[in-house]
Amino acid sequence: MQTLNNEAKTNQTKKYSLIDTDIHERVMYKDLFPYLEQPWRRYIEDCHWQQEKHMPFTQPAVAGVDRADAKTPDGKPAGTSLPFMQEQLLDANNHEFGILTGALDPSPSSMHGWYEMATALASAYNDWQINDWLDKDSRLYGSVHIAAQEVANAVKEIERVGSHPKMIQVLLPIDDIAWGDPYYHPIFEAAERHNLMIGMHHNEPPAPLGKWPRYFIEWHSLIATSHMAQITSMIFNGVFEKYPNLKLMMIEGGFTYVPFLMKKLDQQFKDLRHEVPWVTTMPSDTIKNRMAFTTQPLEEMSKKEWNLLVEQMGTDEIICFSTDYPHWDYDSPDEAVPKGLEEDVLKRIYGENARKFYPKLPARGDV
């Protein structure tokens, strides 16, 4: 976790246009009631329904999965108050834009059964996000939440809210579903139709072990492997050939695994391309041209180590800064990246790479 006092923040972050690609707003069930139709509201209000939880661990910090100082002044969970988030994050760090990636926990797309309830929750969440967050702060942009298990209804939800000017991606959880499967391709078709990118964020995946490991530290150390599995699925199932304007943002997995994955996928493609004749582009080129990766959680490293990773990837234009606010391993924009990086590099990482990736984000000076 990276933190810094407000005075130092002010001096550093005002140098660059800061676009934060991973901010977790949080909803309480009661906040969804105005947007949740019956009988779904009754199941929560009267029958005390709650989403299933998969993760068996206690959480890693004194405030659980959140920063201790992110609990709201009135005692509510971190991420539930827009005014407090504005004060603690957006104003303090001089954000130009922030992209909301929070969701119910777990995501509606991770519910095991009762997909009708998942669909209703996703719709209510989108309406709540638009009305209570996006419409109240010009800096915030949002993610379309869907219940992807029911593809037809997921597409309907994208059609319903995807044209909203502040919705910029469709959010899918990284768990035990391989999203490259052609069954889910109508979701990508609908996203492309509305100029939406795809964002993938780990949820509560037991991957890659097939079941939960004994400790949180094991699971958290291996998050990148589940990200690699999704990238592999998307590439070799031909998603990027089929939808030429679609791009994929991998959220909260870092990027230090990318050079290895590029090398591995390229070699496998050379050896086994006869199995996937619909794939016409080298995987490393697809990664460089059609994907981006949020920085957080960024391992501590030197400028030399950073530059070596960039050299191996062949570009730094796929790296997009993120804080992961308000989580326990939050990365401060002043402390997360190595000291001494060139000004043009910092400009790209802090903002311009994300602006280039998301076509619905305004150009500089347009707001």
Side-chain angles (χ1 to χ4, degrees):
M1 180 178 71
Q2 313 279 347
T3 60
L4 198 69
N5 64 65
N6 285 339
E7 181 179 358
K9 285 179 182 178
T10 301
N11 292 333
Q12 178 72 3
T13 56
K14 283 189 176 180
K15 293 181 181 180
Y16 311 104
S17 175
L18 184 62
I19 299 176
D20 188 343
T21 53
D22 186 23
I23 299 175
H24 292 277
E25 81 287 11
R26 178 176 291 159
V27 73
M28 309 293 286
Y29 279 135
K30 65 179 181 60
D31 298 326
L32 291 182
F33 288 165
Y35 310 105
L36 193 60
E37 296 180 354
Q38 298 290 8
W40 316 113
R41 173 173 172 171
R42 183 178 68 82
Y43 290 133
I44 298 174
E45 199 168 23
D46 298 337
C47 304
H48 311 294
W49 177 88
Q50 296 184 37
Q51 282 179 274
E52 59 191 328
K53 292 287 290 182
H54 310 307
M55 184 181 287
F57 312 109
T58 56
Q59 296 300 334
V62 294
V65 75
D66 299 319
R67 284 171 41 171
D69 66 344
K71 191 174 184 179
T72 66
D74 59 357
K76 293 179 181 177
T80 56
S81 168
L82 174 58
F84 190 59
M85 181 185 289
Q86 288 168 326
E87 174 188 345
Q88 190 172 55
L89 179 72
L90 303 178
D91 297 341
N93 288 314
N94 197 39
H95 277 53
E96 181 184 9
F97 299 123
I99 299 170
L100 299 179
T101 56
L104 290 166
D105 187 17
S107 161
S109 289
S110 294
M111 284 178 58
H112 294 159
W114 210 15
Y115 300 155
E116 297 86 353
M117 176 60 124
T119 297
L121 286 170
S123 294
Y125 194 98
N126 289 329
D127 290 340
W128 169 82
Q129 180 188 187
I130 291 170
N131 291 333
D132 288 32
W133 290 76
L134 304 186
D135 287 351
K136 293 183 178 180
D137 193 309
S138 62
R139 295 168 292 187
L140 293 178
Y141 283 76
S143 304
V144 178
H145 298 272
I146 57 174
Q149 312 93 320
E150 290 281 1
V151 169
N153 286 331
V155 169
K156 288 180 182 178
E157 185 63 16
I158 295 170
E159 298 290 350
R160 187 179 76 88
V161 298
S163 61
H164 191 284
K166 298 192 75 181
M167 287 294 203
I168 63 173
Q169 65 187 355
V170 175
L171 193 66
L172 292 172
I174 298 174
D175 50 21
D176 57 356
I177 297 174
W179 294 117
D181 189 315
Y183 174 76
Y184 301 103
H185 286 193
I187 292 171
F188 305 135
E189 180 180 357
E192 185 181 54
R193 189 161 51 247
H194 288 279
N195 208 19
L196 300 168
M197 303 299 102
I198 300 297
M200 289 191 186
H201 190 297
H202 66 267
N203 197 48
E204 289 189 2
L209 304 177
K211 61 180 182 179
W212 290 103
R214 289 185 65 190
Y215 301 111
F216 181 89
I217 190 173
E218 297 179 75
W219 173 80
H220 201 256
S221 296
L222 294 173
I223 282 173
T225 60
S226 58
H227 285 237
M228 288 190 278
Q230 292 295 346
I231 292 169
T232 303
S233 174
M234 294 286 281
I235 288 176
F236 288 142
N237 280 280
V239 172
F240 299 102
E241 277 80 9
K242 194 171 182 180
Y243 306 105
N245 297 313
L246 194 72
K247 293 184 179 181
L248 172 64
M249 177 70 78
M250 301 302 296
I251 304 168
E252 206 177 320
F255 69 91
T256 55
Y257 65 91
V258 175
F260 160 79
L261 186 62
M262 284 179 164
K263 191 73 171 178
K264 175 61 71 175
L265 295 185
D266 279 358
Q267 186 62 56
Q268 294 299 301
F269 184 58
K270 292 173 184 177
D271 295 342
L272 298 168
R273 64 193 308 166
H274 61 275
E275 190 180 20
V276 287
W278 45 83
V279 180
T280 59
T281 304
M282 288 294 289
S284 60
D285 290 332
T286 298
I287 290 173
K288 285 188 284 189
N289 295 317
R290 306 290 294 280
M291 298 186 194
F293 302 83
T294 65
T295 52
Q296 197 278 342
L298 185 58
E299 297 86 352
E300 295 180 7
M301 68 180 74
S302 66
K303 176 184 176 181
K304 180 179 179 180
E305 291 170 318
W306 173 285
N307 288 337
L308 179 59
L309 285 167
V310 170
E311 179 183 354
Q312 292 172 328
M313 291 189 297
T315 181
D316 65 8
E317 295 185 0
I318 59 176
I319 305 171
C320 298
F321 180 76
S322 62
T323 61
D324 190 35
Y325 179 90
H327 288 165
W328 67 280
D329 50 351
Y330 162 90
D331 276 354
S332 162
D334 296 279
E335 293 293 314
V337 301
K339 301 300 182 184
L341 293 181
E342 290 74 12
E343 293 287 313
D344 60 330
V345 173
L346 294 173
K347 181 179 178 181
R348 288 193 294 272
I349 302 305
Y350 281 132
E352 297 314 308
N353 288 346
R355 196 191 313 274
K356 180 180 177 181
F357 180 87
Y358 290 112
K360 292 175 76 170
L361 280 183
R364 295 194 68 177
D366 283 357
V367 178

